Amino acid sequence: MYGIYYLKINNKYYIGKDVCIERQKRIKEHIWMLKKGNHYNSYLQKAYLKYLETFDSGIIEKVECTLEELIVLEREYIQKYDAYKNGYNLTTGGEGLGGYKFTPKQIERKRQNVMGQKNPMSKLTEEQFFEIVEHLKRNKTNLEIAVIYDLNPGYVSLIRHKKRYHHLWPLVEDYEPTISEQQLKNRGKITEKMFIDIVTMIRNGETNAFIERKYGLSAGTASRIRHKKLYKQWWNRLV
């Protein structure tokens, strides 16, 4: 369930959004960074060290809504608690998990700019890392995420497969590395429609050999699909 949470230090607020509000996922991440003394929000970190005894946190509201509506709600609470002008929020809200839809033309133009950068591995804040993980969980492609955060798609792939930010991955729950949706569409002979047909055949008791002959697949492919070692995203949609 989505929701809005707060951190409070010396009677001033930091307001944030969380897509796993019942687990207080984002609150725990903030506290972990604050205790380590390396929170990306230096104002919040300094206040925490100076007024530790006043620290408080909690859930403001749990809500069933779309991501876009959650963003609007975050902005409203930041304004209500004066968390931007007289608190610890660095912006007026709505960043990162945003709902803006890029047109194909905008994506291509942005991709060309990203690919042309001398340093494609732009530095991310820890909060942006967690936001990217949420995008990955929602099956966004490497390119879509790269566009949002001005990254090289190849760098997003490294994050996808847990080859970057090793110190943060232990805090992430319910994530298994998967091949990006675009790669699934571009690789091999199997389309999503074929995959659904193959799963139907598997559930109806057809043998791997029969399926491979019918679709001209290499030996072992049907078995890997059967045991969910291929096309995990598509499997998840069928559950």
Side-chain angles (χ1 to χ4, degrees):
M1 177 174 286
Y2 293 170
I4 302 296
Y5 65 89
Y6 73 88
L7 306 177
K8 182 180 179 183
I9 304 176
N10 196 31
N11 290 319
K12 295 182 180 181
Y13 288 86
Y14 174 92
I15 304 297
K17 57 187 177 295
D18 194 342
V19 296
C20 300
I21 194 67
E22 291 181 320
R23 300 181 186 177
Q24 299 190 27
K25 177 176 175 290
R26 292 294 293 125
I27 291 176
K28 292 175 183 177
E29 291 166 357
H30 281 296
I31 293 175
W32 180 78
M33 287 183 278
L34 288 168
K35 287 183 176 180
K36 285 192 66 178
N38 61 357
H39 199 286
Y40 57 85
N41 185 326
S42 60
Y43 297 102
L44 187 64
Q45 182 67 66
K46 290 177 182 177
Y48 178 82
L49 294 174
K50 187 174 182 179
Y51 304 106
L52 176 59
E53 68 282 358
T54 70
F55 178 80
D56 186 26
S57 63
I59 297 171
I60 296 176
E61 181 177 353
K62 298 179 182 179
V63 60
E64 293 185 1
C65 64
T66 66
L67 198 52
E68 288 77 10
E69 290 169 337
L70 181 66
I71 290 167
V72 172
L73 192 62
E74 179 194 36
R75 290 173 179 153
E76 291 176 350
Y77 274 112
I78 287 175
Q79 183 176 8
K80 178 178 179 179
Y81 285 83
D82 198 17
Y84 173 58
K85 293 182 179 180
N86 190 36
Y88 303 110
N89 282 82
L90 301 178
T91 71
T92 55
E95 294 73 26
L97 292 175
Y100 179 77
K101 304 298 183 183
F102 291 91
T103 66
K105 187 175 181 179
Q106 287 174 315
I107 290 177
E108 176 60 22
R109 184 168 63 249
K110 193 78 169 179
R111 185 185 75 84
Q112 294 296 334
N113 291 337
V114 169
M115 295 300 289
Q117 292 176 358
K118 292 182 179 180
N119 179 18
M121 297 184 183
S122 305
K123 186 175 181 180
L124 297 170
T125 66
E126 292 184 345
E127 183 167 17
Q128 287 173 327
F129 163 79
F130 291 115
E131 290 170 353
I132 286 175
V133 172
E134 295 303 326
H135 284 309
L136 292 173
K137 289 180 180 180
R138 285 163 176 74
N139 295 323
K140 280 191 175 294
T141 67
N142 295 341
L143 178 56
E144 288 173 328
I145 296 172
V147 166
I148 296 171
Y149 293 93
D150 286 326
L151 296 171
N152 187 304
Y155 191 62
V156 178
S157 179
L158 292 175
I159 297 174
R160 176 187 294 275
H161 296 289
K162 298 186 177 182
K163 295 181 179 180
R164 290 293 183 273
Y165 302 94
H166 301 288
H167 64 296
L168 296 179
W169 279 111
L171 294 173
V172 175
E173 299 178 348
D174 303 324
Y175 176 80
E176 285 294 330
T178 56
I179 297 172
S180 74
E181 189 77 10
Q182 193 61 43
Q183 285 178 293
L184 283 177
K185 291 177 180 179
N186 292 339
R187 71 175 348 199
K189 300 179 180 179
I190 297 178
T191 65
E192 187 169 5
K193 182 180 183 304
M194 288 170 60
F195 168 80
I196 294 173
D197 291 341
I198 289 171
V199 171
T200 300
M201 294 172 69
I202 289 172
R203 290 174 174 174
N204 288 337
E206 294 291 352
T207 66
N208 295 337
F210 178 86
I211 294 171
E212 289 164 356
R213 283 196 302 272
K214 179 175 180 178
Y215 290 100
L217 303 175
S218 58
T221 302
S223 176
R224 295 184 69 195
I225 294 174
R226 182 185 297 272
H227 296 288
K228 301 183 180 180
K229 294 182 178 180
L230 288 177
Y231 307 104
K232 292 181 182 179
Q233 290 100 314
W234 292 347
W235 268 114
N236 290 338
R237 293 176 189 175
L238 296 177
V239 174

